[in-house]
């Protein structure tokens, strides 16, 4: 019986996160209260406090659920000792990222909330600090791959690895944000192999990244 109770508690916790995620996207984080979440989830506010200390703890739990997918993408891109040229790994990564968002509703919803439904003031101020720390870590890893491409002689003259990484990151985020707001304009999954073509043509030697192979 104790095991069943523990399993039921975890199901309730996940239902609360799912409900909060839906309401945060529909109403915005600041306009969603714990009372709203409790009512929509069919539980009492006490049930929420049994699992989470406050709305920020619930928000953080929502974000933590998608971290493994980012880690998987990073691991594939940064695999140590890979014989593949860095630029080809970046080419594959650009498609992997877009398709990952297209295929995983929870991932695109959480990123949509962070990018489009959050006001990082008041109770959300600490969330901004954590988000910046997370993004800085991810960007540093990305910059290292561009630096590797530069060392391999594939980055065109006139661009530094940091500049190229910033442009790449801005383009990826822009595409995803536009898609979240206007999904009818972009087919991330079907057209993933075309959206980054202008960037790669203007950033790398043409013969270094032509899509005839992928990361192992």
């Amino acid at each position: 019986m104790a095991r069943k109770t523990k399993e039921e508690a975890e199901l309730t916790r996940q239902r609360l996160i799912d409900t909060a995620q839906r309401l945060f996207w529909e109403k915005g984080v600041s306009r969603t209260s714990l009372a709203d979440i409790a009512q929509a989830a069919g539980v009492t506010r006490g049930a929420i406090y049994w699992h989470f200390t406050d709305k920020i703890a619930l928000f953080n739990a929502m974000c933590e659920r998608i971290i493994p997918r980012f880690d998987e993408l990073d691991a594939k891109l940064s695999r140590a000792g890979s014989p593949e040229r860095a630029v080809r790994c970046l080419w594959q990564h650009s498609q992997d990222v877009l398709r990952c968002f297209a295929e995983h509703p929870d991932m695109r919803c959480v990123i949509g909330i962070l990018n489009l439904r959050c006001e990082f003031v008041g109770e959300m101020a600490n969330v901004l600090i954590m988000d910046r720390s997370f993004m800085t870590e991810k960007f540093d890893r990305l910059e290292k791959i561009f630096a590797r491409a530069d060392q391999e002689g594939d980055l065109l003259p006139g661009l530094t690895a940091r500049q190229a990484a910033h442009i790449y990151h801005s383009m990826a985020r822009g595409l995803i944000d536009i898609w979240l707001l206007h999904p009818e304009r972009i087919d991330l999954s079907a057209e993933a192999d075309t959206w980054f073509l202008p960037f790669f043509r203007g950033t790398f030697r043409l013969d270094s990244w032509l899509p005839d192979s992928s990361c192992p």
Side-chain angles (χ1 to χ4, degrees):
M1 183 64 70
R3 182 178 179 182
K4 181 178 180 181
T5 301
K6 183 178 180 180
E7 291 173 350
E8 289 175 345
E10 180 58 24
L11 287 174
T12 299
R13 183 177 185 275
Q14 294 303 320
R15 184 165 80 252
L16 288 170
I17 297 174
D18 290 339
T19 303
Q21 181 174 296
R22 176 172 60 82
L23 293 181
F24 288 157
W25 174 250
E26 292 175 354
K27 301 174 60 175
V29 177
S30 64
R31 292 179 177 272
T32 301
S33 67
L34 287 179
D36 295 331
I37 296 169
Q39 181 178 10
V43 301
T44 65
R45 286 188 64 179
I48 293 182
Y49 286 119
W50 195 84
H51 291 280
F52 306 100
T53 56
D54 52 27
K55 187 169 74 173
I56 300 305
L58 180 51
F59 182 92
N60 289 338
M62 175 194 72
C63 294
E64 288 168 1
R65 291 201 305 186
I66 68 168
I67 289 178
R69 290 205 177 96
F70 279 104
D71 290 342
E72 183 179 348
L73 289 168
D74 284 346
K76 186 176 180 181
L77 176 62
S78 306
R79 187 176 292 123
S82 169
E84 192 66 82
R85 296 182 77 85
V87 65
R88 291 186 183 273
C89 288
L90 280 164
W91 171 255
Q92 185 63 47
H93 180 71
S94 67
Q95 298 170 63
D96 289 343
V97 168
L98 297 187
R99 290 197 174 106
C100 190
F101 274 91
E103 294 168 4
H104 296 287
D106 57 335
M107 188 172 181
R108 62 177 177 259
C109 188
V110 172
I111 295 303
I113 291 167
L114 281 165
N115 291 356
L116 305 170
R117 297 290 194 268
C118 268
E119 295 178 346
F120 293 108
V121 295
E123 63 180 353
M124 295 297 292
N126 286 336
V127 174
L128 176 59
I129 295 173
M130 289 186 289
D131 182 56
R132 283 178 173 172
S133 177
F134 177 80
M135 293 307 298
T136 297
E137 179 183 344
K138 299 300 178 184
F139 181 82
D140 287 345
R141 293 179 186 175
L142 184 64
E143 185 180 356
K144 288 179 181 178
I145 301 299
F146 276 89
R148 193 176 118 204
D150 191 19
Q151 292 170 358
E152 292 170 347
D154 292 332
L155 194 65
L156 291 177
L159 273 178
T160 67
R162 169 157 290 198
Q163 289 170 333
H166 273 299
I167 297 169
Y168 178 92
H169 178 262
S170 298
M171 184 175 180
R173 174 165 178 169
L175 281 170
I176 290 166
D177 283 356
I178 291 172
W179 177 65
L180 288 168
L181 291 170
H182 305 285
E184 74 282 357
R185 295 184 182 180
I186 297 176
D187 189 333
L188 283 188
S189 184
E191 301 173 357
D193 60 345
T194 64
W195 286 109
F196 280 90
L197 279 173
F199 171 81
F200 276 78
R201 285 171 177 158
T203 305
F204 301 105
R205 290 190 301 106
L206 187 63
D207 62 348
S208 70
W209 63 271
L210 288 176
D212 56 1
S213 67
S214 61
C215 288

